[in-house]
């Protein structure tokens, strides 16, 4: 099976940088994904790491270290609209669905 | 890009009734779709994998007779919550992956919020 751990809550101010960590345990590994979910909405894809290293997409970056079973999502120049829940997720191969972490609720304050 | 559409977005029903939720892949064919359930302030939990033309695969602890899944075509999967009870009130989300095109990213529908009175 798979399990993922991430902090439950993070608070930061506008313009700041925040890092959300995720550690995982999987029987097989086919990449680490990150999703954003606003209250009442569906998850939206943010980033994917299949190999070690940093992936950058605008203000968001994601990092993966397979040897450490660890990754993080980095959000820069925080905006109020970034207040949401962020989930890391892994897939164990083939056409299997994603297994999600418990989610990190980010609150951006003025 | 690929889009997954879900309907209805909100439904309120009386206890004991059945509710059907549809999930459609709008611009790609999905031989497999996934149904998730999410309770307030919790994570998404996989309920079942819907397979086109064959039986769905249910996760441990999910009652297949209560949550009926039908995947009759390559673009449509339905989830029917039978004899719904208040504890079934939740946010149900479907997802699908475009295996033939795109990046293999998992796309989610808009979700269906079920409230059972």
């Amino acid at each position: 099976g798979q399990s993922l751990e991430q902090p439950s809550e993070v608070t930061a101010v506008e313009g700041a940088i925040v890092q959300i960590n995720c550690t995982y345990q999987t029987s097989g590994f086919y990449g680490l994904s990150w999703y954003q979910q606003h209250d009442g909405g569906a998850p939206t894809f943010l980033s994917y790491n299949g190999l070690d290293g940093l992936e950058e997409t605008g203000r968001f970056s994601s990092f993966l270290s397979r040897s450490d079973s660890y990754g993080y999502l980095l959000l820069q120049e925080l905006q109020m609209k970034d207040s949401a829940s962020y989930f890391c997720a892994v897939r164990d191969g083939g056409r299997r669905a994603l297994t999600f972490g418990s989610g990190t609720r980010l609150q951006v304050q003025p | 890009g690929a889009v997954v559409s879900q309907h209805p977005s909100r439904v309120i029903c009386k206890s004991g009734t059945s509710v059907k939720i549809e999930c459609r892949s709008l611009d790609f064919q999905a031989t497999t779709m996934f149904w998730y359930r999410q309770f307030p302030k919790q994570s998404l939990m996989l309920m079942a994998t819907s397979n086109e033309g064959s039986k769905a695969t249910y996760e441990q602890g999910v009652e297949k007779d209560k949550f009926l899944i039908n995947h009759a075509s390559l673009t449509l999967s339905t989830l029917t919550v039978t004899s719904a009870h208040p504890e079934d009130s939740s946010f149900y989300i479907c997802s699908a992956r475009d295996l033939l095109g795109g990046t293999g990213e998992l796309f989610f529908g808009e979700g269906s919020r079920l409230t059972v009175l």
Side-chain angles (χ1 to χ4, degrees):
Chain A
Q2 301 84 38
S3 67
L4 302 96
E5 289 192 14
Q6 52 183 128
S8 58
E9 289 186 9
V10 174
T11 302
V13 296
E14 270 188 300
I17 299 173
V18 72
Q19 178 174 311
I20 299 174
N21 298 321
C22 174
T23 57
Y24 59 86
Q25 287 185 320
T26 63
S27 54
F29 182 73
Y30 291 84
L32 184 70
S33 300
W34 289 91
Y35 284 79
Q36 178 192 61
Q37 186 182 32
H38 286 97
D39 287 344
T44 56
F45 173 78
L46 289 179
S47 187
Y48 170 79
N49 295 74
L51 300 174
D52 291 350
L54 191 68
E55 292 287 336
E56 298 179 78
T57 308
R59 295 188 296 115
F60 295 173
S61 303
S62 59
F63 172 82
L64 174 67
S65 170
R66 289 175 294 173
S67 61
D68 295 321
S69 297
Y70 162 77
Y72 66 71
L73 178 69
L74 190 73
L75 297 87
Q76 303 182 70
E77 301 173 19
L78 281 175
Q79 303 175 9
M80 296 296 290
K81 66 177 182 180
D82 296 329
S83 293
S85 291
Y86 293 84
F87 295 89
C88 57
V90 293
R91 178 162 62 97
D92 63 1
R95 298 181 176 181
R96 289 296 306 276
L98 291 175
T99 298
F100 287 84
S102 53
T104 299
R105 191 169 184 84
L106 170 63
Q107 184 173 2
V108 180
Q109 297 179 336
Chain B
V3 176
V4 174
S5 178
Q6 200 172 329
H7 177 81
S9 58
R10 292 181 180 272
V11 57
I12 300 173
C13 69
K14 293 182 179 180
S15 185
T17 61
S18 294
V19 174
K20 179 185 285 188
I21 300 170
E22 294 186 347
C23 178
R24 295 180 185 274
S25 57
L26 296 185
D27 56 359
F28 66 98
Q29 294 182 334
T31 56
T32 304
M33 291 184 176
F34 308 103
W35 287 95
Y36 289 85
R37 177 170 54 185
Q38 185 179 35
F39 292 107
K41 299 189 186 303
Q42 294 189 22
S43 186
L44 292 84
M45 300 302 295
L46 180 65
M47 298 176 64
T49 300
S50 172
N51 304 299
E52 188 267 335
S54 64
K55 292 182 179 180
T57 305
Y58 290 82
E59 296 299 302
Q60 190 173 7
V62 178
E63 300 175 57
K64 62 180 182 180
D65 294 330
K66 181 167 186 62
F67 299 100
L68 300 180
I69 291 173
N70 182 274
H71 195 149
S73 78
L74 288 171
T75 59
L76 174 64
S77 175
T78 60
L79 169 69
T80 302
V81 183
T82 62
S83 186
H85 291 283
E87 57 266 30
D88 298 323
S89 298
S90 187
F91 193 48
Y92 292 88
I93 313 172
C94 70
S95 64
R97 181 175 283 117
D98 182 1
L99 293 174
L100 296 180
T103 62
E105 170 189 336
L106 193 64
F107 293 95
F108 286 85
E110 306 94 331
S112 299
R113 188 164 302 282
L114 170 64
T115 302
V116 184
L117 302 177

